[in-house]
Amino acid sequence: MVARCVGLHGNMKIVLKRELRDIPFVGLLLWWLDFPTLARGSEWQEEKPKMTAMLETFSEERLPVQVLLFPEGTVCNQTSIANSLKFAAREGRPKLKLLLLPHKKGFYTCLDSLKSEFNSPVVYDMTMTYQGYAGDIPVKSDPLWQTVVNWFFGQVPREVHVRLKRFSMEEVMSDSHWLDSRWAEKDKILTHFKHHHQFPSDGRGFEPTTFDSSEHRKESSVLSLVCLSAITIALPLVTAGLIIPTLLLSPLIVALWLARRIRTSLHGKDVGQGKDGDKARSGSRSVRRGPLGRSRDMAPLRDPARARKRTRAWQRPPPLASCSPHPHPNSHSR
């Protein structure tokens, strides 16, 4: 919604956890939308090349992409806050009261992958809170299904406050503690909002801009969710519609092919039998049985005259048997 309000909609890519790719249909949707994923711990080394390759493709093709990253990496509750404070004390990093310490690996990997000789990424630091925020840290986070139910029944904040600051690549890369400094600043901003219900002034005289999200209600409606779900479900169904008939017809196709091969093999040999029941000699020339048990050699003849003679002989009817004996050819009639 923020991207649409500032004119950056349509090219947003969200960096998500790798575990989401294992959810049926959700993983297919992430692949279809080209959303990069990252992992923590030992799986990071395996996931880093895939994420880097995808982001470098965006940069090489000069696509106007906006990459949204949540460096905290997880939800905020009392357990994660306690673990974050222990890690900050051990590593000498800022101790935050309302936020978790950001992870640096994914953030700087994104910058290095998107940077090229034709492109220099710009970093937008976004701090977001909502009307009625009191700074309470929940004991444990609500499950995903509970969040979806609350959203469906309209139990969501009616007013959201967003603070954006723009930084160049040089400003970010020149300060090794840039990410920690931004999160320490965010912690102070949220503390101020908890008491005064508004962001503190930055001293430059900028007035907040109000956007009415009702103009873009269609983008966040149930209809949009249904359309995305339909696309996700349709892709495997179309694929299955092509594969399943092929698998069902494969035995029939194989049977027809074998029958044709057997028929060709049998017709390529002499399968006729002689008058005495002996099998005809098999060879490279096929023999067809003609009328009166005569066999005709079907091999092509090279001599046209001989071919005509044999054809006429074949078409001439057989001689009829005579009751009277024939006279001897050397005998003289008297």
Side-chain angles (χ1 to χ4, degrees):
M1 186 61 65
V2 174
R4 175 166 288 279
C5 291
V6 297
L8 298 176
H9 60 283
N11 299 294
M12 181 69 68
K13 307 296 181 183
I14 306 176
V15 181
L16 301 172
K17 294 191 297 183
R18 194 196 66 83
E19 289 78 4
L20 295 177
R21 291 191 318 193
D22 300 330
I23 301 177
F25 301 119
V26 175
L28 183 62
L29 181 62
L30 297 182
W31 169 81
W32 185 65
L33 295 175
D34 285 335
F35 278 6
T37 57
L38 55 81
R40 291 177 293 178
S42 58
E43 297 180 351
W44 165 247
Q45 296 301 327
E46 178 183 353
E47 194 68 23
K48 181 180 178 180
K50 301 177 184 178
M51 176 181 175
T52 302
M54 180 178 292
L55 295 177
E56 287 179 350
T57 302
F58 298 154
S59 179
E60 292 171 358
E61 297 181 0
R62 304 185 186 184
L63 299 177
V65 175
Q66 289 78 42
V67 179
L68 178 61
L69 173 67
F70 298 89
E72 301 97 325
T74 187
V75 294
C76 184
N77 53 46
Q78 293 185 5
T79 302
S80 58
I81 284 287
N83 295 333
S84 179
L85 290 174
K86 292 179 182 178
F87 182 79
R90 185 171 66 251
E91 298 292 330
R93 297 176 62 179
K95 297 181 180 181
L96 309 177
K97 299 179 180 179
L98 301 176
L99 296 173
L100 301 175
L101 277 176
H103 296 273
K104 296 183 178 181
K105 291 181 180 179
F107 174 74
Y108 286 104
T109 299
C110 289
L111 292 183
D112 293 337
S113 302
L114 293 172
K115 181 176 61 176
S116 66
E117 58 180 340
F118 307 105
N119 181 37
S120 181
V122 176
V123 179
Y124 287 92
D125 175 27
M126 182 172 66
T127 305
M128 183 169 58
T129 185
Y130 55 90
Q131 184 181 16
Y133 174 74
D136 298 330
I137 307 297
V139 177
K140 62 179 182 178
S141 304
D142 293 334
L144 180 60
W145 65 268
Q146 184 64 47
T147 303
V148 174
V149 170
N150 294 339
W151 170 80
F152 185 81
F153 287 100
Q155 299 177 5
V156 293
R158 296 299 178 183
E159 185 175 317
V160 178
H161 297 252
V162 181
R163 182 176 183 265
L164 289 174
K165 291 185 70 174
R166 183 179 184 274
F167 294 88
S168 65
M169 174 65 73
E170 291 73 17
E171 291 177 305
V172 176
M173 301 303 291
S174 61
D175 185 5
S176 59
H177 301 288
W178 183 88
L179 201 59
D180 284 348
S181 300
R182 299 284 72 76
W183 252 249
E185 182 183 13
K186 290 174 184 292
D187 197 70
K188 294 179 181 179
I189 291 173
L190 292 179
T191 301
H192 183 277
F193 189 93
K194 180 177 66 173
H195 296 292
H196 303 281
H197 306 291
Q198 63 180 4
F199 286 134
S201 175
D202 61 357
R204 293 180 292 177
F206 289 117
E207 294 294 331
T209 304
T210 302
F211 293 97
D212 186 4
S213 62
S214 61
E215 298 177 3
H216 315 295
R217 184 172 298 170
K218 181 180 178 181
E219 298 298 326
S220 59
S221 63
V222 178
L223 179 62
S224 299
L225 180 61
V226 171
C227 292
L228 286 176
S229 302
I231 293 174
T232 307
I233 297 173
L235 285 176
L237 290 180
V238 171
T239 305
L242 296 176
I243 294 177
I244 292 177
T246 304
L247 295 177
L248 294 177
L249 293 176
S250 294
L252 178 60
I253 295 173
V254 172
L256 292 176
W257 179 80
L258 290 176
R260 183 178 181 276
R261 290 298 302 269
I262 293 173
R263 181 176 179 274
T264 304
S265 177
L266 292 178
H267 281 275
K269 298 180 180 181
D270 295 334
V271 295
Q273 294 184 355
K275 185 176 180 180
D276 299 331
D278 298 331
K279 293 185 178 179
R281 182 180 57 187
S282 62
S284 60
R285 303 171 68 179
S286 61
V287 176
R288 181 177 297 176
R289 308 298 294 182
L292 300 181
R294 296 180 181 180
S295 62
R296 181 177 59 164
D297 193 348
M298 298 303 296
L301 299 176
R302 297 183 180 179
D303 188 2
R306 184 184 176 189
R308 289 195 297 272
K309 181 178 179 181
R310 294 194 60 173
T311 303
R312 288 196 297 271
W314 174 257
Q315 295 177 352
R316 186 168 58 248
L320 298 176
S322 178
C323 296
S324 60
H326 292 282
H328 196 275
N330 296 330
S331 64
H332 300 279
S333 60
R334 297 181 182 180

